[in-house]
């Protein structure tokens, strides 16, 4: 890396790195550093009348040097603890370099250090570790954006979402509470797995690359499989493969993995997301609602200690049972329009009368879905099962046992968003084929989210699939609910981001066209001249002086251009 691409602090840290190596200190040692305690555990178990020796490690987050004694704050994976360091304790011999040079001068905030010492309470009452040994474990070459607090107010906060999501590693270090969100996410997934495993269901893995994008209505990502010379789809759902396993004799299977949908990004949608899908033989929608209620109640309690969570002033209760409401009744309740018995054209005309953006490519199911999304979805704050979807909306769902034209399906709405989608699964292969054909008609009309016929899945159904309940739960949405977060980026460690913005720069070749040597280009950029047009209005002597200042500041052993040479660059830049 060119030194001119570094900040002054970064240059200083690299110089410290070289000094450490010159002293014979490896800034990145390979040997294990065997710790035996964490910051939080030390504080929780401290006893004034008990002497305890500990070995801890972590980042140095602050340092207060007071002559021969100093205080530092060490941050490990659990929290922070103060360390008391004296010169003579860590340097018992005549050589005091470890304290005078290494600790005081060559270590920086963000460096990883190891401390061996005894736990004690300071005169101000703070539980601390009195260091007997100090070891450098890893040198940090970039400065952390340290958040400062005064009278409970945070300053210099690292709070720009763009930076936080892109540099999550920094976000986790400097912002309190961020790691807690992801620890809760791990608890949610671990608890869900435990519930499903204890119920006797088997966790499986199914292909992410698929020849047919099936199992949901969504626009897929397309890639090319070179070995087969064929286009493939990133899966949009795991459903059809999991059902194949039910055909093969598994009683219950589930998969917790990534799905990919080539659609928009916003605060509640990410093209890559985590979903749990479960399929259980010999069960139906009614059993599924009861199972889902109990599972979510248990998960919420595991995360928050109670079956409730507060979001934006609303107390959302996951205490079973949840409300059950047919989708057509929900639409009628919110709009006064009864879709039951209406034709596709009648529903489309009503949508248009409400100013909705609908067109001729949308079938009856899509129109009803648009109506529900526009007028109903955001109104359901408490967990609510929306049931009895029209068959046009549910190509993989069993027909309702008592209501013609409807299916045995629910979507679980919580805090105005869909959390789960579930069916009494369609296992009639002839009915399934007919519905696939109807989906293809929608695709022919221009619906790029319509399903493609999966002939192998139809073949599997023809061998016979038992009555089956299936459900998909969005893990990211569930984590948002149970942690009170409003943006999906807050609960995904590395959400998808737009390309990082870069400062426009003229290329080295473009600078060469006006006569600027290659090794001078970084100097010009450091002086603020990223584009050739930036030097058009410069005076030759002034520009040469700025170049000379950079040479001097960074001790560059380069040939300084003459005023005439600089003048020639400016002249060509103005041509």
């Amino acid at each position: 890396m060119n030194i001119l691409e570094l900040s002054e602090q970064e240059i200083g840290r690299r110089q410290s790195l070289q000094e450490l190596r010159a002293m014979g200190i490896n800034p990145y040692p390979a040997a294990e550093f065997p710790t035996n305690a964490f910051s939080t555990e030390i504080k929780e178990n401290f006893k004034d009348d008990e002497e305890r020796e500990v070995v801890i490690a972590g980042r140095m987050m602050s340092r207060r040097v007071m002559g021969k004694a100093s205080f530092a704050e060490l941050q490990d994976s659990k929290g922070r603890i103060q360390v008391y360091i004296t010169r003579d304790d860590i340097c018992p011999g005549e050589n005091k370099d470890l304290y005078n040079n290494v600790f005081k001068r060559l270590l920086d905030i963000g460096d990883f250090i190891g401390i061996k010492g005894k736990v004690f309470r300071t005169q101000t009452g703070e539980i601390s570790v009195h260091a007997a040994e100090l070891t450098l474990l890893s040198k940090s070459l970039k400065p952390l954006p340290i958040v400062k607090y005064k009278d409970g107010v945070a300053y210099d906060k690292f709070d720009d979402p763009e930076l936080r999501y892109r540099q999550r590693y920094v976000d986790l270090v400097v912002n309190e509470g961020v790691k807690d969100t992801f620890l809760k996410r791990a608890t949610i997934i671990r608890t869900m797995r435990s519930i499903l495993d204890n119920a006797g269901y088997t966790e499986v893995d199914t292909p992410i690359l698929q020849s047919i994008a099936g199992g949901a209505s969504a626009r897929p990502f397309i890639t090319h499989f070179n070995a087969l010379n064929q286009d493939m789809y990133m899966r949009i759902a795991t459903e059809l493969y999991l059902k194949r396993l039910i055909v093969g004799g598994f009683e219950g299977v589930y998969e917790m993995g990534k799905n990919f949908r080539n659609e928009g990004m916003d605060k509640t949608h990410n093209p890559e997301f985590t979903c749990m899908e479960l399929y259980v033989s010999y069960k139906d929608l009614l059993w599924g609602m009861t199972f889902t209620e109990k599972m979510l109640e248990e998960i919420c309690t595991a995360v928050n200690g109670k079956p409730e969570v507060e979001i934006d002033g609303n107390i959302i209760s996951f205490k079973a049972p949840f409300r059950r409401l047919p989708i057509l009744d929900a639409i009628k309740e919110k709009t006064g329009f009864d879709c039951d018995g209406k034709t596709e054209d009648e529903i489309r005309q009503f949508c248009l009368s409400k100013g909705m953006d609908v067109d001729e490519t949308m079938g009856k199911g899509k129109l009803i879905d648009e109506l529900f999304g526009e007028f109903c979805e955001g109104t359901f704050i408490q967990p609510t099962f929306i049931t009895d979807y029209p068959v046009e909306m549910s190509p993989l769902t069993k027909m309702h046992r008592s209501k013609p034209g409807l299916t045995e399906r629910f979507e679980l709405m919580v805090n105005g968003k869909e959390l789960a989608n579930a069916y009494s699964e369609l296992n009639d292969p002839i009915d399934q084929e007919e519905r696939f054909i109807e989906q293809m008609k929608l695709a022919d009309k221009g619906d790029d989210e319509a399903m493609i016929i999966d002939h192998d899945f139809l073949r599997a159904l023809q061998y016979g699939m038992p009555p089956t309940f299936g459900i998909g739960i969005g893990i990211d949405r569930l984590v948002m609910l149970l942690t009170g977060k409003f943006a999906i980026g807050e609960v995904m460690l590395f959400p998808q981001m737009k390309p990082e913005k870069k400062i426009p720069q003229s290329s080295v070749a473009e600078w060469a066209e006006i006569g600027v040597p290659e090794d001078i280009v970084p100097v010009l950029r450091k002086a603020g001249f990223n584009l050739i047009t930036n030097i058009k209005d410069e005076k030759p002597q002034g520009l040469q002086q700025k170049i000379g200042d950079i040479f001097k500041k960074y001790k560059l052993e380069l040939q300084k251009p003459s005023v005439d040479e600089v003048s020639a660059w400016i002249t060509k830049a103005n041509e």
Side-chain angles (χ1 to χ4, degrees):
M1 177 177 285
N2 192 304
I3 191 172
L4 296 179
E5 298 176 18
L6 304 174
S7 67
E8 289 189 41
Q9 287 192 61
E10 289 174 299
I11 292 170
R13 288 178 180 232
R14 288 172 186 248
Q15 290 171 346
S16 295
L17 183 77
Q18 296 306 316
E19 285 192 55
L20 288 165
R21 284 180 167 146
M23 294 173 66
I25 297 173
N26 183 354
Y28 305 105
E32 175 191 9
F33 188 81
T35 59
N36 63 11
F38 291 105
S39 55
T40 50
E41 179 270 326
I42 291 172
K43 294 176 182 178
E44 290 169 0
N45 297 320
F46 176 77
K47 296 178 182 177
D48 285 299
D49 58 351
E50 181 178 285
E51 188 174 273
R52 180 185 176 191
E53 188 173 273
V54 296
V55 182
I56 57 175
R59 287 186 187 270
M60 184 172 70
M61 298 301 291
S62 68
R63 173 178 51 192
R64 288 180 290 131
V65 177
M66 299 173 292
K68 298 178 182 179
S70 301
F71 285 98
E73 188 176 38
L74 184 143
Q75 177 173 298
D76 61 19
S77 62
K78 306 293 184 181
R80 296 188 180 190
I81 192 166
Q82 181 172 265
V83 178
Y84 177 61
I85 301 171
T86 68
R87 185 191 68 181
D88 294 335
D89 284 329
I90 66 170
C91 304
E94 293 184 6
N95 187 336
K96 307 298 182 182
D97 281 349
L98 181 60
Y99 183 83
N100 291 337
N101 287 324
V102 177
F103 175 74
K104 290 173 62 176
R105 194 170 60 83
L106 300 178
L107 292 190
D108 292 290
I109 303 304
D111 288 352
F112 282 88
I113 59 174
I115 297 292
K116 181 177 182 180
K118 294 180 180 179
V119 185
F120 77 110
R121 190 190 298 274
T122 66
Q123 292 181 349
T124 60
E126 185 169 355
I127 298 169
S128 308
V129 177
H130 188 149
E133 298 178 16
L134 180 150
T135 305
L136 174 61
L137 300 176
S138 182
K139 183 71 182 159
S140 170
L141 298 184
K142 292 186 77 69
L144 289 168
I146 300 299
V147 182
K148 303 178 182 69
Y149 293 89
K150 184 177 181 180
D151 300 325
V153 179
Y155 297 90
D156 301 325
K157 292 193 291 185
F158 186 70
D159 57 1
D160 182 346
E162 171 88 7
L163 286 175
R164 289 183 52 236
Y165 300 165
R166 198 179 299 283
Q167 299 180 31
R168 182 67 83 187
Y169 37 87
V170 177
D171 187 33
L172 289 165
V173 173
V174 303
N175 285 327
E176 293 182 6
V178 174
K179 185 182 288 184
D180 290 340
T181 297
F182 294 101
L183 292 175
K184 286 183 177 180
R185 181 185 178 109
T187 298
I188 289 167
I189 293 173
R190 184 169 58 250
T191 304
M192 182 178 288
R193 264 202 179 94
S194 176
I195 292 168
L196 298 174
D197 290 342
N198 290 338
Y201 309 137
T202 304
E203 183 173 10
V204 297
D205 293 308
T206 61
I208 290 177
L209 287 178
Q210 301 181 355
S211 58
I212 294 174
S217 297
R219 186 182 297 115
F221 285 93
I222 303 174
T223 186
H224 190 74
F225 197 147
N226 288 335
L228 298 178
N229 191 28
Q230 106 179 56
D231 284 342
M232 301 287 283
Y233 301 96
M234 302 286 282
R235 72 180 178 204
I236 58 177
T238 55
E239 177 169 346
L240 300 187
Y241 279 95
L242 293 175
K243 287 182 181 178
R244 286 170 168 91
L245 297 179
I246 296 296
V247 171
F250 281 90
E251 180 178 351
V253 292
Y254 74 93
E255 182 166 6
M256 203 170 303
K258 293 296 184 77
N259 290 342
F260 306 85
R261 298 184 182 178
N262 198 359
E263 298 168 344
M265 294 191 301
D266 57 35
K267 286 190 173 182
T268 58
H269 295 86
N270 194 70
E272 174 185 354
F273 62 96
T274 303
C275 187
M276 187 286 296
E277 287 199 42
L278 166 72
Y279 295 85
V280 186
S281 303
Y282 312 114
K283 306 298 184 185
D284 68 358
L285 196 74
L286 301 177
W287 174 90
M289 284 191 271
T290 300
F291 182 86
T292 302
E293 289 169 336
K294 291 179 179 178
M295 178 168 65
L296 292 177
E297 182 178 345
E298 186 174 336
I299 291 170
C300 185
T301 303
V303 173
N304 296 312
K306 55 184 178 181
E308 298 173 345
V309 63
E310 182 175 347
I311 303 177
D312 198 22
N314 294 316
I315 302 297
I316 296 177
S317 174
F318 284 92
K319 187 74 176 174
F322 302 163
R323 184 189 182 194
R324 288 140 167 83
L325 179 66
I327 187 172
L328 299 186
D329 290 354
I331 293 173
K332 185 177 180 181
E333 184 180 284
K334 300 298 180 182
T335 68
F337 182 75
D338 190 353
C339 296
D340 190 22
K342 297 294 192 299
T343 66
E344 178 183 312
D345 285 339
E346 287 173 325
I347 298 173
R348 182 179 291 107
Q349 288 305 312
F350 177 75
C351 291
L352 291 171
S353 73
K354 290 293 184 179
M356 295 174 61
D357 185 16
V358 299
D359 55 47
E360 296 298 321
T361 69
M362 295 180 179
K364 186 175 181 179
K366 191 73 176 286
L367 292 169
I368 292 173
D369 192 31
E370 291 291 315
L371 271 175
F372 181 79
E374 180 76 18
F375 297 103
C376 307
E377 183 173 333
T379 67
F380 296 106
I381 304 302
Q382 297 301 323
T384 304
F385 289 119
I386 303 298
T387 65
D388 301 349
Y389 281 72
V391 64
E392 295 89 349
M393 298 179 68
S394 312
L396 298 170
T397 312
K398 186 170 285 189
M399 295 296 291
H400 199 286
R401 66 193 74 180
S402 61
K403 299 178 182 179
L406 302 181
T407 60
E408 299 215 345
R409 173 187 178 188
F410 75 68
E411 287 187 327
L412 176 59
M413 300 292 164
V414 189
N415 199 40
K417 297 294 178 183
E418 175 197 341
L419 178 62
N421 189 16
Y423 316 144
S424 291
E425 299 294 336
L426 179 60
N427 60 345
D428 179 341
I430 296 175
D431 189 358
Q432 180 66 85
E433 183 173 12
E434 291 172 352
R435 294 202 213 176
F436 272 147
I437 292 171
E438 289 301 313
Q439 285 284 300
M440 292 304 294
K441 290 179 181 179
L442 292 177
D444 291 340
K445 289 173 66 176
D447 187 347
D448 58 4
E449 294 184 354
M451 291 190 194
I452 302 171
I453 296 179
D454 188 333
H455 292 286
D456 180 69
F457 174 66
L458 289 174
R459 178 168 56 194
L461 284 187
Q462 289 167 14
Y463 281 101
M465 186 176 86
T468 300
F469 167 76
I471 184 171
I473 296 178
I475 298 298
D476 309 298
R477 289 264 181 94
L478 180 59
V479 177
M480 288 173 65
L481 282 169
L482 298 186
T483 59
K485 303 298 181 184
F486 295 96
I488 197 169
E490 295 291 333
V491 302
M492 303 182 81
L493 280 167
F494 300 102
Q496 295 295 326
M497 303 288 292
K498 293 179 181 178
E500 192 168 357
K501 293 180 181 178
K502 295 184 178 180
I503 299 173
Q505 292 182 337
S506 296
S507 67
V508 172
E510 289 171 327
W511 283 107
E513 289 178 5
I514 66 168
V516 178
E518 181 177 343
D519 55 6
I520 299 298
V521 174
V523 179
L524 287 169
R525 290 174 177 167
K526 192 67 176 181
F529 303 103
N530 290 297
L531 299 171
I532 291 173
T533 53
N534 296 151
I535 70 169
K536 283 185 174 183
D537 298 325
E538 290 293 312
K539 303 295 184 186
Q541 294 88 347
L543 182 54
Q544 189 211 34
Q545 181 62 47
K546 291 176 182 177
I547 292 171
D549 290 342
I550 299 292
F551 278 26
K552 183 177 179 180
K553 182 175 182 178
Y554 293 96
K555 301 176 182 179
L556 302 179
E557 296 180 359
L558 298 174
Q559 180 65 43
K560 184 178 177 180
S562 67
V563 173
D564 289 342
E565 288 174 317
V566 174
S567 179
W569 304 343
I570 295 173
T571 299
K572 290 183 179 179
N574 280 280
E575 290 179 356

